[in-house]
Amino acid sequence: MEFKYITSDGGRPVERLTLNRPDVRNAFNEHVIAELTQWAAQATAEPVATRPRVVVLAGAGKMFCAGADVTWMARTITYTEEQNVRDAVAMSRMFAALNALPIPLVGRIQGAALGGGAGLAAVCDIVVADEQAVFGFTETKLGILPAVISPFALAKIGRSAARELFLTGARISAERAREIGLVHAVVPASDLDATVQQYVDELMSAGPEAVAAAKALIPKVASLTVEEAQPITTRAIAARRVSDEGQEGLKAFLEKRTPRWGSR
Ligand code: COA
């Protein structure tokens, strides 16, 4: 895969994907969106045996991501209404593709995650932030709104924090972002990589198919009653416990040994 605005180390089993426009604090425009969407489609289509088991999403330079590229946003005044909506749909599809990635996505956040950058944090499964990092849904400060990212942000921070932060556009600390569920661990910058690695190691010791199934289950059951969820949850465990991977994990526990998760 040849990309201009993102870089991948192609790592297996752990891939590091980096937003790479440090001069504009990794703000994303239509080209970054196209590349991230293409990357996500390719990663999703790859067979379980060869795709990465964990992806670490990072930002080059001082800041994780300053959100949507304001130059690009301002340029939409030259678009037709149809082009304008199509452009927003492309952005929405990028977030949706990352959100539904069948691989755990770990966000490594330094400096700032603002606007769409906070949206990227919201589509990560696990977010580790440097204690100096700032977060915020800053769009209203620019006279726009956090629209496309709202479903993903709401799923993490809930309505109460959204009502405060979407409306004020205020910048908040990493610690506050942790309190509202956007971030999972806040550490000194010098510990950022080691903490990301701890989460990666934790994920690597779990069954890859089980991890993907657990991730897929959450959005399916999140808004259902127990009764509504029952057919989904019972089929999920019934399928997984008789699968090769499930049997290997269960037997390994009983035999007091480390499970062998496929070839990697
Ligand atoms: N879109 C386009 N360019 C952006 C940008 C964005 N979202 N965020 C930063 N940049 C550009 C700046 O215009 C500046 O360009 P210049 O060197 O040509 O002047 C460059 O990136 C560096 O930005 P600067 O503000 O000088 O860097 P900093 O390290 O002091 O601060 C941020 C970084 C991210 C805290 C700050 O740039 C910021 O608050 N950006 C806006 C974030 C935001 O509200 N995003 C929501 C967008 S909808």
Short mmCIF file of all heavy atoms in Angstrom, two decimals, residues 21-25 27-28 62-63 65-73 111-112 114-116 134 138-139 141-142 144 171, ligand 1:
data_model
loop_
_atom_site.label_atom_id
_atom_site.label_comp_id
_atom_site.label_asym_id
_atom_site.label_seq_id
_atom_site.Cartn_x
_atom_site.Cartn_y
_atom_site.Cartn_z
N ARG A 21 0.98 14.29 8.77
CA ARG A 21 1.02 15.68 8.28
C ARG A 21 1.42 16.56 9.48
O ARG A 21 0.65 17.43 9.91
CB ARG A 21 -0.35 16.13 7.77
CG ARG A 21 -0.86 15.39 6.56
CD ARG A 21 -2.21 15.99 6.14
NE ARG A 21 -2.07 17.20 5.36
CZ ARG A 21 -2.99 18.17 5.32
NH1 ARG A 21 -4.10 18.08 6.04
NH2 ARG A 21 -2.81 19.24 4.56
N PRO A 22 2.60 16.31 10.04
CA PRO A 22 2.95 17.01 11.28
C PRO A 22 2.95 18.53 11.16
O PRO A 22 2.70 19.22 12.14
CB PRO A 22 4.35 16.47 11.63
CG PRO A 22 4.88 15.88 10.37
CD PRO A 22 3.70 15.42 9.59
N ASP A 23 3.20 19.06 9.95
CA ASP A 23 3.24 20.52 9.79
C ASP A 23 1.90 21.17 10.11
O ASP A 23 1.85 22.34 10.51
CB ASP A 23 3.63 20.91 8.35
CG ASP A 23 5.07 20.55 8.05
OD1 ASP A 23 5.78 20.17 9.00
OD2 ASP A 23 5.47 20.62 6.88
N VAL A 24 0.82 20.43 9.91
CA VAL A 24 -0.51 20.97 10.25
C VAL A 24 -1.11 20.16 11.39
O VAL A 24 -2.32 20.04 11.52
CB VAL A 24 -1.45 21.03 9.03
CG1 VAL A 24 -1.04 22.14 8.08
CG2 VAL A 24 -1.55 19.69 8.31
N ARG A 25 -0.23 19.61 12.22
CA ARG A 25 -0.63 18.87 13.42
C ARG A 25 -1.57 17.70 13.06
O ARG A 25 -2.53 17.39 13.76
CB ARG A 25 -1.27 19.79 14.46
CG ARG A 25 -0.42 21.00 14.83
CD ARG A 25 0.93 20.60 15.41
NE ARG A 25 1.73 21.78 15.78
CZ ARG A 25 2.79 22.21 15.10
NH1 ARG A 25 3.21 21.58 14.00
NH2 ARG A 25 3.46 23.26 15.51
N ALA A 27 -3.80 17.42 10.86
CA ALA A 27 -5.19 17.71 10.47
C ALA A 27 -5.51 16.88 9.23
O ALA A 27 -4.65 16.64 8.39
CB ALA A 27 -5.33 19.20 10.17
N PHE A 28 -6.76 16.41 9.14
CA PHE A 28 -7.09 15.56 7.98
C PHE A 28 -7.99 16.29 7.00
O PHE A 28 -8.91 16.99 7.37
CB PHE A 28 -7.68 14.21 8.42
CG PHE A 28 -8.89 14.30 9.29
CD1 PHE A 28 -10.15 14.56 8.75
CD2 PHE A 28 -8.79 14.11 10.66
CE1 PHE A 28 -11.27 14.63 9.56
CE2 PHE A 28 -9.90 14.18 11.48
CZ PHE A 28 -11.16 14.45 10.92
N LYS A 62 4.45 16.64 17.16
CA LYS A 62 4.08 17.10 18.51
C LYS A 62 2.69 16.73 18.96
O LYS A 62 2.39 16.67 20.14
CB LYS A 62 4.14 18.65 18.54
CG LYS A 62 5.53 19.22 18.58
CD LYS A 62 5.58 20.74 18.37
CE LYS A 62 4.49 21.54 19.06
NZ LYS A 62 4.69 23.00 18.92
N MET A 63 1.77 16.56 17.97
CA MET A 63 0.35 16.41 18.31
C MET A 63 -0.24 15.18 17.63
O MET A 63 0.09 14.91 16.48
CB MET A 63 -0.44 17.64 17.80
CG MET A 63 0.12 18.97 18.21
SD MET A 63 -0.51 19.44 19.82
CE MET A 63 0.75 20.59 20.37
N CYS A 65 -3.58 14.73 16.67
CA CYS A 65 -4.38 15.17 15.53
C CYS A 65 -5.20 16.42 15.88
O CYS A 65 -5.95 16.42 16.87
CB CYS A 65 -5.32 14.06 15.07
SG CYS A 65 -6.39 14.52 13.70
N ALA A 66 -5.07 17.44 15.03
CA ALA A 66 -5.80 18.71 15.24
C ALA A 66 -7.16 18.69 14.56
O ALA A 66 -7.77 19.75 14.37
CB ALA A 66 -4.97 19.87 14.71
N GLY A 67 -7.63 17.51 14.17
CA GLY A 67 -8.98 17.39 13.64
C GLY A 67 -9.06 17.69 12.15
O GLY A 67 -8.06 17.59 11.43
N ALA A 68 -10.25 18.07 11.72
CA ALA A 68 -10.43 18.35 10.30
C ALA A 68 -9.56 19.53 9.90
O ALA A 68 -9.37 20.47 10.68
CB ALA A 68 -11.90 18.66 10.03
N ASP A 69 -9.03 19.44 8.68
CA ASP A 69 -8.20 20.52 8.14
C ASP A 69 -9.11 21.71 7.86
O ASP A 69 -10.01 21.64 7.03
CB ASP A 69 -7.53 20.01 6.85
CG ASP A 69 -6.56 21.01 6.28
OD1 ASP A 69 -6.86 22.22 6.31
OD2 ASP A 69 -5.50 20.58 5.79
N VAL A 70 -8.84 22.79 8.58
CA VAL A 70 -9.72 23.96 8.50
C VAL A 70 -9.68 24.59 7.10
O VAL A 70 -10.68 25.10 6.62
CB VAL A 70 -9.34 24.97 9.61
CG1 VAL A 70 -10.15 26.24 9.50
CG2 VAL A 70 -9.54 24.34 10.99
N THR A 71 -8.54 24.51 6.43
CA THR A 71 -8.43 25.04 5.06
C THR A 71 -9.39 24.30 4.13
O THR A 71 -10.11 24.89 3.34
CB THR A 71 -6.98 24.88 4.55
OG1 THR A 71 -6.10 25.40 5.54
CG2 THR A 71 -6.77 25.59 3.24
N TRP A 72 -9.40 22.98 4.29
CA TRP A 72 -10.31 22.15 3.49
C TRP A 72 -11.77 22.45 3.84
O TRP A 72 -12.61 22.62 2.95
CB TRP A 72 -9.96 20.66 3.73
CG TRP A 72 -11.00 19.66 3.40
CD1 TRP A 72 -11.59 19.46 2.17
CD2 TRP A 72 -11.61 18.72 4.29
NE1 TRP A 72 -12.50 18.44 2.26
CE2 TRP A 72 -12.53 17.97 3.54
CE3 TRP A 72 -11.44 18.43 5.64
CZ2 TRP A 72 -13.29 16.95 4.12
CZ3 TRP A 72 -12.19 17.41 6.20
CH2 TRP A 72 -13.11 16.69 5.46
N MET A 73 -12.05 22.55 5.13
CA MET A 73 -13.43 22.84 5.56
C MET A 73 -13.92 24.16 4.96
O MET A 73 -15.03 24.27 4.47
CB MET A 73 -13.50 22.94 7.08
CG MET A 73 -13.48 21.62 7.79
SD MET A 73 -15.14 20.92 7.75
CE MET A 73 -14.92 19.50 8.77
N GLY A 111 0.10 15.39 22.94
CA GLY A 111 -0.16 16.77 22.53
C GLY A 111 -1.60 17.19 22.50
O GLY A 111 -2.07 17.89 23.39
N ALA A 112 -2.32 16.77 21.46
CA ALA A 112 -3.71 17.21 21.33
C ALA A 112 -4.51 16.25 20.46
O ALA A 112 -3.98 15.67 19.51
CB ALA A 112 -3.76 18.61 20.70
N LEU A 114 -8.13 17.07 18.98
CA LEU A 114 -9.18 18.09 18.99
C LEU A 114 -10.12 17.88 17.81
O LEU A 114 -9.69 17.43 16.73
CB LEU A 114 -8.55 19.47 18.92
CG LEU A 114 -7.64 19.84 20.10
CD1 LEU A 114 -6.86 21.11 19.82
CD2 LEU A 114 -8.46 19.99 21.39
N GLY A 115 -11.39 18.22 17.99
CA GLY A 115 -12.35 18.08 16.91
C GLY A 115 -12.36 16.64 16.41
O GLY A 115 -12.51 15.69 17.18
N GLY A 116 -12.15 16.50 15.10
CA GLY A 116 -12.09 15.15 14.51
C GLY A 116 -10.97 14.30 15.10
O GLY A 116 -11.03 13.07 15.03
N VAL A 134 -4.26 17.63 25.36
CA VAL A 134 -5.57 18.27 25.50
C VAL A 134 -6.54 17.63 24.51
O VAL A 134 -6.16 17.22 23.42
CB VAL A 134 -5.54 19.80 25.27
CG1 VAL A 134 -4.79 20.50 26.38
CG2 VAL A 134 -4.96 20.17 23.92
N THR A 138 -14.02 20.85 19.65
CA THR A 138 -13.84 22.31 19.57
C THR A 138 -14.61 22.96 18.43
O THR A 138 -14.49 24.17 18.22
CB THR A 138 -12.33 22.61 19.38
OG1 THR A 138 -11.86 21.78 18.30
CG2 THR A 138 -11.54 22.33 20.62
N GLU A 139 -15.39 22.17 17.71
CA GLU A 139 -16.00 22.68 16.47
C GLU A 139 -16.82 23.95 16.64
O GLU A 139 -16.77 24.84 15.79
CB GLU A 139 -16.86 21.58 15.83
CG GLU A 139 -16.08 20.46 15.17
CD GLU A 139 -15.67 19.33 16.13
OE1 GLU A 139 -15.72 19.53 17.37
OE2 GLU A 139 -15.30 18.26 15.62
N LYS A 141 -16.40 26.39 18.42
CA LYS A 141 -15.53 27.57 18.49
C LYS A 141 -15.22 28.09 17.08
O LYS A 141 -14.79 29.22 16.91
CB LYS A 141 -14.21 27.25 19.20
CG LYS A 141 -14.37 26.77 20.63
CD LYS A 141 -14.76 27.88 21.60
CE LYS A 141 -14.42 27.51 23.02
NZ LYS A 141 -15.42 27.96 24.00
N LEU A 142 -15.38 27.19 16.08
CA LEU A 142 -15.12 27.56 14.69
C LEU A 142 -16.43 27.81 13.95
O LEU A 142 -16.45 27.90 12.71
CB LEU A 142 -14.33 26.45 13.99
CG LEU A 142 -12.98 26.11 14.62
CD1 LEU A 142 -12.40 24.85 14.02
CD2 LEU A 142 -12.01 27.26 14.44
N ILE A 144 -18.82 25.71 13.56
CA ILE A 144 -19.38 24.49 12.96
C ILE A 144 -19.78 23.57 14.13
O ILE A 144 -19.96 24.04 15.25
CB ILE A 144 -18.40 23.85 11.94
CG1 ILE A 144 -17.04 23.55 12.59
CG2 ILE A 144 -18.23 24.76 10.72
CD1 ILE A 144 -16.10 22.77 11.70
N ARG A 171 -11.70 22.99 25.70
CA ARG A 171 -10.57 22.06 25.72
C ARG A 171 -10.46 21.48 27.12
O ARG A 171 -10.57 22.21 28.11
CB ARG A 171 -9.29 22.78 25.31
CG ARG A 171 -9.36 23.20 23.86
CD ARG A 171 -8.23 24.07 23.37
NE ARG A 171 -8.61 24.55 22.05
CZ ARG A 171 -7.85 24.57 20.97
NH1 ARG A 171 -6.60 24.18 21.05
NH2 ARG A 171 -8.30 25.00 19.81
N1 COA B 1 -6.50 22.56 10.19
C1 COA B 1 -5.57 23.13 9.41
N2 COA B 1 -4.40 23.57 9.86
C2 COA B 1 -4.18 23.44 11.18
C3 COA B 1 -5.08 22.84 12.05
C4 COA B 1 -6.31 22.38 11.50
N3 COA B 1 -7.25 21.77 12.25
N4 COA B 1 -4.57 22.83 13.30
C5 COA B 1 -3.36 23.40 13.20
N5 COA B 1 -3.12 23.76 11.92
C6 COA B 1 -1.93 24.43 11.38
C7 COA B 1 -1.82 25.86 11.88
O1 COA B 1 -2.61 26.73 11.09
C8 COA B 1 -0.34 26.11 11.73
O2 COA B 1 -0.07 26.40 10.40
P1 COA B 1 1.07 27.51 10.03
O3 COA B 1 2.37 26.88 10.49
O4 COA B 1 0.99 27.64 8.54
O5 COA B 1 0.72 28.75 10.79
C9 COA B 1 0.27 24.74 12.04
O6 COA B 1 -0.78 23.79 11.88
C10 COA B 1 0.76 24.62 13.47
O7 COA B 1 -0.29 25.03 14.31
P2 COA B 1 -0.02 25.84 15.66
O8 COA B 1 -1.32 26.27 16.20
O9 COA B 1 1.01 26.89 15.41
O10 COA B 1 0.66 24.68 16.51
P3 COA B 1 0.66 24.43 18.08
O11 COA B 1 1.51 23.22 18.27
O12 COA B 1 0.98 25.68 18.83
O13 COA B 1 -0.87 24.04 18.45
C11 COA B 1 -2.97 22.85 18.18
C12 COA B 1 -1.44 22.86 17.95
C13 COA B 1 -3.50 21.56 17.58
C14 COA B 1 -3.27 22.89 19.70
C15 COA B 1 -3.58 24.10 17.50
O14 COA B 1 -3.07 24.19 16.18
C16 COA B 1 -5.08 24.08 17.41
O15 COA B 1 -5.75 24.38 18.35
N6 COA B 1 -5.63 23.72 16.20
C17 COA B 1 -7.07 23.76 15.96
C18 COA B 1 -7.70 22.50 16.50
C19 COA B 1 -9.20 22.50 16.25
O16 COA B 1 -9.95 23.31 16.76
N7 COA B 1 -9.63 21.54 15.43
C20 COA B 1 -11.01 21.40 15.06
C21 COA B 1 -11.13 21.50 13.59
S1 COA B 1 -12.80 21.31 13.05
#
